[in-house]
Amino acid sequence: MANDDLGRTLRRLRRLASLTQEELAERSDVSVDVIRQLEQRRKHSARLPTLHALANGLGVELTTLLGDPPAVSATGENDGPRFVAVRRAIMPALWGPEPKPPEPGFSLDALRERIAEGWTQYHAAEFDTVVKALPDLISDARAAAASSNDDDRGAGFAALGKALQLAGHVAVRMGKTDLALISLERAIEAAGRSSDALLRPMVVNSVAWTYQRQGRLRDALSIALHAADDTKDCGHTSTADGLKVWGALTMSAATSAARGNDYERAAALMAQAEREAARVGKLPEGSDSRMVSVFSPSSVRIERVRLAVQYGRPEEALELAAGMRLSKDTPPSWRTWLLLDVARAHTDLGNAAEAVKSLESLRRVAPTWMQHHTLAVAIVRDLWSLPNHPAGLRPLAEFLGVAA
C-alpha cells in the first residue's frame, strides 16, 4: 500500500513503544533497512504481510498503523464547527451555567430511543449523522440528570453515561483518542451516579478499547479483566445483560493479550468466552440490545476469526469462518468486519479471486462502512498491485479510489 503518512506513523508508534528500529525489526521479523526507509520516507509503500508484521511487532491494530480515515485530522486543529460542538458538549466551558432540569413534556423514553438510534448509526459507520446529533443528546441528558426526582435523576445519569460513551467511540474513530478518554472518564462518573449497575463496566470496556488503540495493551488487559471479575463477583452474570457485559470484557482482554503476543492466553480467554456465550440464549431476554454490550456465540466466533487473521493464521481464520451462521442480534458492523477479515485471510494466502468475492459482498451490504475503513482500501490496493487482476477487482478499485 502507498501512504504518505505511513513512515511518520510508524516512527511515532515505535517511539511510543520505546523500541529502537533494530528492536522492532527483531520483534516483527521485518528488516531494519525496510523500517529505516519507511521512517525516512524514502520508501512510501509496503505489502499487507509487511504491515501486519509491523503492527504485530508494535502491538497495535493494523488500522492504527494505516492512520486516520481520509480527511480526518487527528490534531483537532482543523475541526469543523460540528466537531467543535461535540467537544463543547463533552467539556463544557469553565464557569458556564449549570444544567437546568428538563422542560415539561420532556420524555426520558424518547431520549433513550434517540441515544439507541445513535448507536445504530455508529455501527453503520454513519459518523457524520452521529456527530451532528451528539451535542443535543449530551445536552438533553445533562438536563435529565439535573431532575429533582431521584428516579428520573438516576435514569438521566444513565442516559448521560451512554451518550458520553457514544461520543467517546466516535472520537476514537476520528483518531482523537485523548478526547475519547476524557469523554469516557466522564461517562464513568455519570455511570456511578446512575440507576444502571452495568453501565460502568460497559464504559470500562470502551476505555480498554481506547487503550488498545493507543498501544497501552497492559493497561487495556488489566482493566478489562478487573471489570469482568467485578461483574461476575457481583452476580450480574446470572442475567442476559450481565453475561453480555462480562463476555465483551473477556473478549477485549483476549484481544489485548493477543496483541501483546500472548496468543495462548488469548485463546484460553476466547475459549472461556465461547463456553459462556452458549448461556446467553437460555437466560431471560434483557433490555434493548442496542444499549448493551455485544456478546453471543456469533460474536465470539467473529472475534476468533479476527484474532486469527491478525496474528498470521489465515488458514485457521477461514476454517472458523466456514459455514458460520450468524444470530439475528449480530450487529451489522460485526458482520461487515467478518467479511473484511475473510478477505484479509484470502489475500494473505494469495487467493485473490476469493478475496474479491468477500469484498464484493462487503460493498453490497456496507458501502459507506467500506469506504471509511483504511484497511479495506489497503487490501484492494494490495490486490491491485498484482500483475493479474481477478474479475470484479476494477469496480472495487474505482469505488475506493485505488485505480489509477
Side-chain angles (χ1 to χ4, degrees), residues 24 41 55 118 136 162:
L24 176 58
R41 304 178 80 178
D136 286 341
K162 205 64 185 174

PDB file of all heavy atoms in Angstrom, residues 24 41 55 118 136 162:
ATOM      1  N   LEU A  24      12.422  -3.282  16.869  1.00  0.00           N
ATOM      2  CA  LEU A  24      11.181  -3.519  16.116  1.00  0.00           C
ATOM      3  C   LEU A  24      11.430  -4.533  15.007  1.00  0.00           C
ATOM      4  O   LEU A  24      10.580  -5.391  14.745  1.00  0.00           O
ATOM      5  CB  LEU A  24      10.656  -2.203  15.535  1.00  0.00           C
ATOM      6  CG  LEU A  24       9.407  -2.330  14.646  1.00  0.00           C
ATOM      7  CD1 LEU A  24       8.256  -2.980  15.407  1.00  0.00           C
ATOM      8  CD2 LEU A  24       8.979  -0.961  14.110  1.00  0.00           C
ATOM      9  N   ARG A  41      10.970   8.026   4.874  1.00  0.00           N
ATOM     10  CA  ARG A  41      10.085   8.333   3.749  1.00  0.00           C
ATOM     11  C   ARG A  41      10.816   8.239   2.410  1.00  0.00           C
ATOM     12  O   ARG A  41      10.451   8.905   1.448  1.00  0.00           O
ATOM     13  CB  ARG A  41       9.434   9.713   3.955  1.00  0.00           C
ATOM     14  CG  ARG A  41       8.685   9.802   5.266  1.00  0.00           C
ATOM     15  CD  ARG A  41       8.078  11.148   5.509  1.00  0.00           C
ATOM     16  NE  ARG A  41       6.834  11.304   4.777  1.00  0.00           N
ATOM     17  CZ  ARG A  41       6.065  12.381   4.840  1.00  0.00           C
ATOM     18  NH1 ARG A  41       6.432  13.398   5.609  1.00  0.00           N
ATOM     19  NH2 ARG A  41       4.968  12.462   4.153  1.00  0.00           N
ATOM     20  N   ALA A  55       2.665  -4.114  12.554  1.00  0.00           N
ATOM     21  CA  ALA A  55       1.614  -3.844  13.542  1.00  0.00           C
ATOM     22  C   ALA A  55       1.725  -4.819  14.708  1.00  0.00           C
ATOM     23  O   ALA A  55       1.603  -4.429  15.874  1.00  0.00           O
ATOM     24  CB  ALA A  55       0.237  -3.931  12.886  1.00  0.00           C
ATOM     25  N   GLY A 118     -28.610   6.480  17.881  1.00  0.00           N
ATOM     26  CA  GLY A 118     -27.247   6.955  17.645  1.00  0.00           C
ATOM     27  C   GLY A 118     -26.252   5.804  17.606  1.00  0.00           C
ATOM     28  O   GLY A 118     -25.348   5.785  16.763  1.00  0.00           O
ATOM     29  N   ASP A 136     -26.811  17.718  21.042  1.00  0.00           N
ATOM     30  CA  ASP A 136     -28.157  17.762  21.627  1.00  0.00           C
ATOM     31  C   ASP A 136     -28.409  16.568  22.535  1.00  0.00           C
ATOM     32  O   ASP A 136     -29.055  16.707  23.587  1.00  0.00           O
ATOM     33  CB  ASP A 136     -29.216  17.809  20.525  1.00  0.00           C
ATOM     34  CG  ASP A 136     -29.296  19.176  19.845  1.00  0.00           C
ATOM     35  OD1 ASP A 136     -28.813  20.150  20.452  1.00  0.00           O
ATOM     36  OD2 ASP A 136     -29.827  19.252  18.729  1.00  0.00           O
ATOM     37  N   LYS A 162     -24.391   6.910  28.743  1.00  0.00           N
ATOM     38  CA  LYS A 162     -24.439   6.221  27.448  1.00  0.00           C
ATOM     39  C   LYS A 162     -24.157   7.189  26.294  1.00  0.00           C
ATOM     40  O   LYS A 162     -23.512   6.807  25.302  1.00  0.00           O
ATOM     41  CB  LYS A 162     -25.817   5.568  27.269  1.00  0.00           C
ATOM     42  CG  LYS A 162     -25.820   4.390  26.327  1.00  0.00           C
ATOM     43  CD  LYS A 162     -24.967   3.242  26.839  1.00  0.00           C
ATOM     44  CE  LYS A 162     -24.880   2.111  25.825  1.00  0.00           C
ATOM     45  NZ  LYS A 162     -23.947   1.053  26.258  1.00  0.00           N
TER      46      LYS A 162
END
